[in-house]
Amino acid sequence: MSVHTQASTAGERLRSAPLQYLRAGSLALDVAVVSGVSLLLGLIRLGTPSLWYDEAYTYRQINRSYVEQFEGYQPLYYWVQKPWTDVAGSSEWAMRLPSVVGAMLACALLVVLARKLFDRRIALLSGLFLATSPYFVKWSQQARAYSLLVALGLIATLLLVRALDRPSRGAWALYGVAFVALLVTHAVAGLLLVPAHAVLIAQRRERFFPHGLLAVVIVAAVGLPWIAQLAMRTDNETSETAWIPYPSVEYAGRTLLALSGAAGVGLLLAALGLWTLRRAGDGRVALWLASWAVGPFLLALVISVARPVFVDRYLAVAAPAFAMLAAVGVLGLAARFRAGLGVAAAGATAVVLVLWYQAAEPGNWRGE
């Protein structure tokens, strides 16, 4: 390489360095903004309502040994809760705080993922949509695993994108381990993410072979046996999942409206997002996000024919896809329409959040 070429290469690196620092700085700022909003909404009246039935089950589990917690349905979540409550106590506020932190982490990870797919504006708005989603706020304020499941799902998805971008044995092994962690934390939530991950792998299948087979081996060796023993252990009328009924049309409809966004506004925005992506020629991204948003809903219905698993909170892993589609839908509109739709979405969100924060007698969360 000539001296002139070396100088040119060095000059290019120097010119690109400020842009890289600027990008990293803006990402850090956006992550801080959405995490702060998530924290603020999560702390409102966090310790006021008493524990309800599912949270009381968490309290019972964290007072068992680490080995005994594997007899439960979400062992890795209890492994987080147990040492935390040993230090912070088992008040309502203390038991619920890890879920608030999980929501903050999920919102931050969504900004990182959306920045890889879109521009800064869409990434920031995606994080804000998730942070302010009444559905997501509701489940982030309870001593259960659901906000942490969303964070785990986003970690697995980011690792899948990384493995596809830079395929290697190490990258695919790391993705396999992350997906197994999701399955062990909550088997149904992990299964419901399979359609979205399968679509993304199929779209870039030339980067899957041969190293991607390592992830398959890891999931098959650890994840599938875990799911199998859970299925056998819960196949009776006294198991902890025996209460789940087959979903009615009304319940399924309400779940979809709540999951997508306040009062169904999020479903409209998601549809606009899909239309915007298709119009822009991003059909592959549209298909992937659609499979992520709707795939868990449909798969839960199909599985429920044999074993009911359709529970609104189990579908939380789809919330990030709805948030990204909503951001694309809003920012894809002309400015004069964008403002009105943004105000409508903000208004609906505020109303539903206020309703959520209002406690019903005898002091527990409204609707529980």
Side-chain angles (χ1 to χ4, degrees):
M1 182 181 293
S2 67
V3 175
H4 176 72
T5 304
Q6 290 177 338
S8 299
T9 303
E12 289 174 0
R13 286 200 298 267
L14 288 172
R15 286 192 295 272
S16 64
L19 295 177
Q20 293 173 351
Y21 282 119
L22 181 61
R23 179 178 173 81
S26 66
L27 178 60
L29 176 61
D30 294 348
V31 164
V33 168
V34 299
S35 299
V37 171
S38 179
L39 176 63
L40 176 63
L41 294 177
L43 291 179
I44 297 175
R45 301 190 72 250
L46 182 64
T48 301
S50 58
L51 299 179
W52 69 290
Y53 181 84
D54 277 18
E55 292 179 301
Y57 185 82
T58 298
Y59 178 83
R60 185 180 75 176
Q61 287 296 112
I62 62 176
N63 284 288
R64 306 176 73 187
S65 71
Y66 287 102
V67 174
E68 288 175 326
Q69 286 166 3
F70 274 97
E71 298 174 8
Y73 198 59
Q74 305 172 25
L76 297 187
Y77 167 66
Y78 303 131
W79 278 25
V80 171
Q81 279 280 34
K82 184 175 177 63
W84 163 249
T85 53
D86 286 344
V87 174
S90 56
S91 66
E92 284 85 353
W93 192 93
M95 286 187 62
R96 290 168 179 153
L97 187 62
S99 295
V100 175
V101 175
M104 294 173 59
L105 178 60
C107 294
L109 290 169
L110 180 57
V111 172
V112 175
L113 176 61
R115 183 73 81 94
K116 290 179 174 293
L117 301 174
F118 306 108
D119 60 21
R120 180 187 181 184
R121 296 185 308 155
I122 292 177
L124 176 59
L125 189 56
S126 297
L128 290 174
F129 270 132
L130 183 62
T132 59
S133 164
Y135 168 91
F136 194 57
V137 171
K138 171 182 177 177
W139 293 112
S140 74
Q141 286 198 306
Q142 302 192 35
R144 299 300 286 162
Y146 305 112
S147 62
L148 292 166
L149 288 173
V150 176
L152 265 177
L154 282 164
I155 290 173
T157 303
L158 278 164
L159 289 174
L160 174 58
V161 171
R162 177 176 177 267
L164 289 168
D165 286 342
R166 291 177 287 175
S168 66
R169 284 190 295 271
W172 279 106
L174 195 57
Y175 164 67
V177 170
F179 200 85
V180 164
L182 178 60
L183 287 172
V184 174
T185 304
H186 198 288
V188 175
L191 285 174
L192 296 183
L193 265 186
V194 168
H197 285 205
V199 167
L200 185 57
I201 290 172
Q203 289 179 340
R204 305 179 65 183
R205 53 190 174 276
E206 71 281 357
R207 291 180 168 268
F208 177 75
F209 295 102
H211 301 312
L213 295 175
L214 181 57
V216 175
V217 170
I218 292 172
V219 173
V222 182
L224 293 186
W226 174 257
I227 294 172
Q229 65 86 24
L230 270 183
M232 292 186 289
R233 179 150 52 91
T234 58
D235 189 19
N236 60 72
E237 295 181 356
T238 60
S239 73
E240 59 184 282
T241 60
W243 61 271
I244 304 174
Y246 187 80
S248 64
V249 174
E250 179 187 1
Y251 179 64
R254 284 192 288 108
T255 298
L256 182 59
L257 291 177
L259 173 64
S260 60
V265 175
L267 193 59
L268 171 62
L269 296 180
L272 281 174
L274 288 173
W275 176 75
T276 301
L277 289 172
R278 294 284 297 178
R279 186 182 61 176
D282 291 330
R284 288 162 64 94
V285 176
L287 177 61
W288 176 43
L289 293 183
S291 68
W292 189 354
V294 183
F297 186 89
L298 297 178
L299 184 58
L301 287 176
V302 171
I303 296 175
S304 293
V305 173
R307 177 78 62 84
V309 296
F310 192 99
V311 181
D312 57 355
R313 45 199 180 269
Y314 293 0
L315 300 173
V317 290
F322 278 109
M324 283 189 284
L325 286 172
V328 171
V330 169
L331 294 177
L333 292 173
R336 62 182 182 278
F337 300 120
R338 187 187 309 160
L341 193 57
V343 169
T349 298
V351 169
V352 180
L353 281 174
V354 169
L355 291 174
W356 165 245
Y357 290 130
Q358 291 178 355
E361 295 298 333
N364 209 323
W365 291 129
R366 178 178 295 277
E368 294 301 350

